[in-house]
Amino acid sequence: MAMKDYSDEFKADAVALYESTPGAIYKSIAADLGVNRATLREWVLRDRERRGITAAIAKPGARPREAVPSADPDERVRQLEARVAELEASERKLATERDILRKAAKYFGRRDELVRSRFQFVDDHRNTYEVKRLCQVLDVNRSSYYKWLAGAEARATRQREDRILAEEIREVHGESGGAYGSPRVTAELREKGRQVNEKRIARIMRTFSITGIRLRRRVRTTVPDPAASPVPDLFQRDFTATEPGRKYMGDITYLPLAGGEFLYLATVLDCFSRKVVGWSIADHMRTGLVADALRMAASTRGRLDGAVFHSDHGAQYGSRAFAGLCDQLGVTRSMGAVGTSADNAACESFHASLKRETLQGAHDYGDSDTCRRTVFAWLTRYNTRRRHSANGHLSPNEYEHRHHTAKLTLAA
């Protein structure tokens, strides 16, 4: 069930995300957040009114008008000279690139590429030399050359189709923030009605240097509390569920800032769909961090009584305050073994994906506000749009929606 009452923090983060995104439109941002377009617009206008900003003020990132050529003859000459200098520099760059390509042609590594380059050389020089002589010198079979030549139209058609598909892949890849690899790109294209094979998608992505984001090294943040009461492991590394709202898992991860500082993120995920039902960001790792995330989960789902919540042995999850909150919400606690990351692997994998796709190779998020906006945007988009392999490449929200629809159909 979607969260009906949005917290003031959620509204503020949503407004900050919209205002800080150049060229953003209400429809796109609202879809990422999983809220109504009119609701987001109302939040933004109310915030602008509070700050005394009228709607007529342009958003940051607006494109500047193109410079108008000067009417002054001397200035016009200077502009033309600058343009000539620019073109000369471009020509020098192209000449350098041509030289590099000529030298690189010597280093074809694959045998089939080397043979095709020989066929192309024969075809390019057939009007100057006899084909028979060219094939002899280059040590290629003449019949193979004519077979290659007969397939030129089919190859050109495949290459055109590959270029068209590469543009579609780039669009999907860009919409994912550069995160999707071939499996998720394939699922997205199939959802749009494109009948494609994952192996072909992977080949084209390699050919056109379109790559997903790879994992970064993880930093351990779990600090066990030796005085905490023992809690049994009710999951036994089974991070699946047959229904939403029955099994949840949570963890804490660090968010690096410039200057060696950190923010900390606590999350609560539903094991059925891997939906993020609760999260909290703070500059500390006290119990309040994980408690706020669990309270948000209760607000999102409406109720948590009867559910099981699994975590590692961090001091925050083992504290009396957190145990009391779980009792208050009707939640049964579960914990993995001490020092065994595999007992909370699904949650740790989620955090690895988050940082891999938001940092994209950077060492930190910059300042605190940028970090909060970036993570907030990813978390909301994760639920509404990001395809998850555990859900058959459906987003968590869509996976739950189809589950509820199927139940209603069976009940009818």
Side-chain angles (χ1 to χ4, degrees):
M1 182 177 69
M3 182 167 59
K4 296 180 179 179
D5 297 324
Y6 299 97
S7 66
D8 291 339
E9 182 181 2
F10 185 95
K11 294 177 183 178
D13 286 340
V15 171
L17 175 63
Y18 174 80
E19 296 286 16
S20 64
T21 305
I25 59 176
Y26 288 116
K27 181 179 179 180
S28 175
I29 298 298
D32 282 347
L33 299 177
V35 302
N36 186 275
R37 174 190 175 280
T39 301
L40 175 61
R41 183 175 182 273
E42 181 183 351
W43 293 347
V44 173
L45 294 180
R46 190 179 302 168
D47 181 75
R48 288 181 177 178
E49 182 180 355
R50 179 182 60 81
R51 291 183 290 136
I53 300 176
T54 63
I57 298 179
K59 289 181 60 179
R63 295 178 60 183
R65 294 190 306 171
E66 295 184 359
V68 178
S70 173
D72 179 57
D74 292 335
E75 179 61 24
R76 180 62 176 163
V77 169
R78 283 193 291 271
Q79 290 178 350
L80 291 174
E81 289 176 345
R83 180 58 178 160
V84 169
E86 180 184 347
L87 292 173
E88 289 176 346
S90 177
E91 176 61 26
R92 287 195 298 271
K93 180 181 178 182
L94 289 174
T96 301
E97 291 175 351
R98 285 195 297 269
D99 290 338
I100 293 173
L101 289 173
R102 289 192 188 99
K103 295 176 182 178
K106 303 175 183 178
Y107 300 99
F108 282 113
R110 292 172 50 185
R111 179 177 177 82
D112 57 341
E113 291 288 352
L114 182 58
V115 170
R116 282 200 290 269
S117 67
R118 290 177 180 178
F119 287 157
Q120 188 63 57
F121 184 87
V122 172
D123 197 52
D124 291 342
H125 296 81
R126 59 186 300 181
N127 294 328
T128 306
Y129 306 99
E130 290 184 354
V131 170
K132 179 180 178 180
R133 180 59 179 160
L134 286 168
C135 290
Q136 288 175 343
V137 172
L138 296 177
D139 193 24
V140 295
N141 191 293
R142 195 170 13 148
S143 61
S144 298
Y145 161 70
Y146 284 118
K147 184 178 179 180
W148 174 86
L149 189 62
E153 185 175 348
R155 282 197 308 278
T157 300
R158 284 197 301 271
Q159 290 171 358
R160 284 195 300 271
E161 292 173 349
D162 284 353
R163 286 194 293 270
I164 292 172
L165 185 54
E167 290 304 314
E168 297 179 35
I169 292 172
R170 282 198 181 96
E171 183 179 353
V172 172
H173 187 256
E175 290 175 353
S176 74
Y180 281 5
S182 58
R184 288 191 175 94
V185 169
T186 303
E188 185 74 26
L189 291 174
R190 287 174 178 171
E191 183 75 15
K192 295 180 178 181
R194 210 47 162 102
Q195 297 300 317
V196 289
N197 181 282
E198 185 182 333
K199 290 183 178 179
R200 184 186 179 196
I201 296 297
R203 174 181 61 79
I204 293 175
M205 290 182 71
R206 285 194 303 270
T207 302
F208 290 87
S209 300
I210 306 172
T211 58
I213 302 172
R214 292 179 172 82
L215 284 169
R216 293 171 55 85
R217 187 175 63 181
R218 177 184 169 273
V219 176
R220 181 173 177 265
T221 56
T222 303
V223 181
D225 183 355
S229 301
V231 176
D233 183 357
L234 303 178
F235 270 36
Q236 296 297 318
R237 301 188 182 180
D238 178 9
F239 303 108
T240 62
T242 57
E243 292 284 337
R246 292 186 176 180
K247 295 170 65 177
Y248 296 98
M249 52 187 171
D251 199 3
I252 302 173
T253 191
Y254 78 104
L255 304 172
L257 305 177
E261 298 181 347
F262 297 94
L263 289 180
Y264 300 92
L265 168 70
T267 53
V268 178
L269 277 69
D270 192 309
C271 292
F272 173 74
S273 62
R274 305 299 169 88
K275 177 174 181 175
V276 190
V277 294
W279 71 80
S280 179
I281 301 175
D283 59 359
H284 61 80
M285 286 201 300
R286 296 189 292 272
T287 301
L289 176 69
V290 296
D292 287 344
L294 191 63
R295 290 191 187 97
M296 180 180 175
S299 177
T300 301
R301 288 305 196 193
R303 54 194 287 270
L304 294 181
D305 55 296
V308 177
F309 176 78
H310 183 82
S311 69
D312 58 25
H313 275 266
Q316 303 84 353
Y317 295 111
S319 67
R320 292 181 179 178
F322 188 75
L325 177 62
C326 289
D327 291 340
Q328 177 186 340
L329 297 175
V331 174
T332 301
R333 290 189 298 156
S334 169
M335 285 187 176
V338 177
T340 305
S341 61
D343 286 350
N344 203 22
C347 218
E348 298 197 16
S349 174
F350 167 81
H351 285 157
S353 296
L354 182 152
K355 286 194 280 190
R356 177 175 75 240
E357 296 180 13
T358 53
L359 285 171
Q360 299 191 11
H363 295 292
D364 58 69
Y365 291 95
D367 58 56
S368 174
D369 290 341
T370 301
C371 177
R372 287 178 181 273
R373 285 196 302 269
T374 302
V375 174
F376 173 77
W378 190 90
L379 289 172
T380 52
R381 193 181 190 282
Y382 170 91
N383 283 338
T384 58
R385 294 192 179 186
R386 186 184 183 276
R387 297 181 181 274
H388 202 297
S389 56
N391 298 340
H393 291 299
L394 297 175
S395 70
N397 280 2
E398 179 64 20
Y399 189 68
E400 291 193 1
H401 172 72
R402 295 193 183 187
H403 173 74
H404 291 313
T405 301
K407 284 186 64 177
L408 291 174
T409 302
L410 289 174

